[in-house]
Amino acid sequence: MILIDTHTHLYSEEFDQDRTQMIQRAIDAGVSRFFVPSINASHTQKMYDLEVQFPENIFLMMGLHPTYVKENYEEELAHVATQLSKKKFYAVGEIGIDLFWDKTFLKQQQHAFQHQIQLAKQHKLAINIHCRDAFDEVFEVLESERAADLFGIFHCFTGDFQQAKRAVSLNMKLGIGGVATFKNGKIDQFLPQIDLQHIVLETDSPYLAPVPHRGKRNESSYIKLIAEKLAQIYQLPIDEIAHITTQNSKTVFGI
């Protein structure tokens, strides 16, 4: 059984004490590929180092995370563009809009999101969307860029059924992670109405650990717990969940 973690922050300082062992644990558990999102320029070298260490397993994205859109965001966007022109990436991400922490830079977040979508189109790459308390704002930008060459993943999808259908209509897969295992997660209530061809698995480690590890550090080996939950939700064997979601990830990332 092959599993894919389509979103994991392996460079996070929370893994500084045992990063190599944690990644090996996940590989031993059947996780063959890790897709690593970028958040800002300060983490780029750590990402490159990981790629060198695990060249068969680690696949990088490049982008500016919305919570890092500040006064210097144009410099950060220039860094993203430069990196995309220099080497191979598998998506532009993690990009989007986040109004949970701060609404000060909404206009800049919208501009950064749209600009990076255009970079993704230019490089024929998927996008990986971060959306928190901002579905209306994210959909507004997506609709303005709607096209056959716009596609990707709605990372850590926590919306409702209508928002899920809208995301799918925009060529987005839904990134399903630990939230699906939470009692109050709610997405398990409508997921069976979304065809499995629109779903990919992710951990978002070190964040959002699935039950029974909720509240603790998440890691990529826990992707199997998410697959098990989806097997319950869809009433399918876990091998089939793994196979279909792995194929979906290959479609998005072009592997």
Side-chain angles (χ1 to χ4, degrees):
M1 184 171 65
I2 296 171
L3 292 162
I4 309 296
D5 190 348
T6 62
H7 198 107
T8 174
H9 298 267
L10 296 177
Y11 49 77
S12 169
E13 61 186 20
E14 296 195 38
F15 297 127
D16 283 355
Q17 302 306 310
D18 65 341
R19 182 173 289 105
T20 300
Q21 299 95 309
M22 182 273 297
I23 294 171
Q24 192 58 54
R25 259 198 306 279
I27 293 170
D28 293 343
V31 184
S32 64
R33 290 181 178 143
F34 308 80
F35 289 88
V36 179
S38 171
I39 54 174
N40 67 3
S42 70
H43 293 81
T44 301
Q45 190 56 51
K46 289 182 181 178
M47 292 168 57
Y48 292 170
D49 293 345
L50 278 167
E51 187 182 40
V52 169
Q53 189 179 0
F54 294 93
E56 300 297 315
N57 308 101
I58 287 177
F59 301 83
L60 305 181
M61 309 181 211
M62 177 49 57
L64 174 62
H65 189 293
T67 60
Y68 290 90
V69 173
K70 306 293 183 187
E71 290 88 349
N72 70 331
Y73 85 102
E74 290 185 337
E75 293 170 32
E76 287 278 358
L77 289 178
H79 173 78
V80 170
T82 299
Q83 301 309 305
L84 285 169
S85 68
K86 284 167 67 172
K87 71 184 297 296
K88 170 72 174 171
F89 290 93
Y90 293 85
V92 174
E94 161 179 8
I95 65 175
I97 299 174
D98 188 315
L99 301 179
F100 178 78
W101 299 107
D102 185 7
K103 298 178 182 176
T104 308
F105 294 96
L106 171 58
K107 279 191 169 53
Q108 292 88 339
Q109 285 193 41
Q110 289 167 315
H111 175 251
F113 185 29
Q114 185 158 26
H115 178 73
Q116 291 179 99
I117 289 173
Q118 291 165 359
L119 284 174
K121 289 177 175 179
Q122 180 184 326
H123 291 277
K124 297 180 170 55
L125 294 174
I127 60 171
N128 188 280
I129 301 170
H130 173 105
C131 174
R132 193 167 186 192
D133 286 5
F135 274 103
D136 290 345
E137 291 80 3
V138 163
F139 280 128
E140 184 181 346
V141 175
L142 289 176
E143 290 288 0
S144 73
E145 289 292 330
R146 181 191 278 270
D149 58 351
L150 172 66
F151 65 101
I153 296 172
F154 233 106
H155 147 62
C156 191
F157 186 80
T158 55
D160 59 26
F161 180 49
Q162 295 305 319
Q163 289 163 333
K165 288 199 299 182
R166 192 172 181 189
V168 167
S169 78
L170 284 153
N171 294 332
M172 299 297 146
K173 307 290 187 198
L174 307 183
I176 303 300
V179 173
T181 70
F182 299 172
K183 278 186 178 177
N184 60 349
K186 297 181 181 176
I187 59 172
D188 59 320
Q189 296 170 17
F190 67 79
L191 268 186
Q193 299 174 69
I194 301 294
D195 194 294
L196 200 54
Q197 69 171 330
H198 303 304
I199 304 296
V200 293
L201 305 182
E202 63 167 67
T203 60
D204 198 21
S205 60
Y207 317 108
L208 295 172
V211 173
H213 305 288
R214 187 175 184 180
K216 299 175 184 173
R217 186 188 77 170
N218 199 3
E219 58 178 72
S220 287
S221 63
Y222 297 165
I223 203 84
K224 190 174 181 183
L225 295 169
I226 297 157
E228 287 171 352
K229 179 64 176 182
L230 285 190
Q232 292 173 20
I233 291 171
Y234 281 95
Q235 297 186 306
L236 290 170
I238 188 171
D239 285 8
E240 192 168 344
I241 298 291
H243 175 71
I244 294 171
T245 56
T246 293
Q247 288 303 121
N248 295 344
S249 74
K250 290 178 180 179
T251 300
V252 172
F253 293 115
I255 298 175

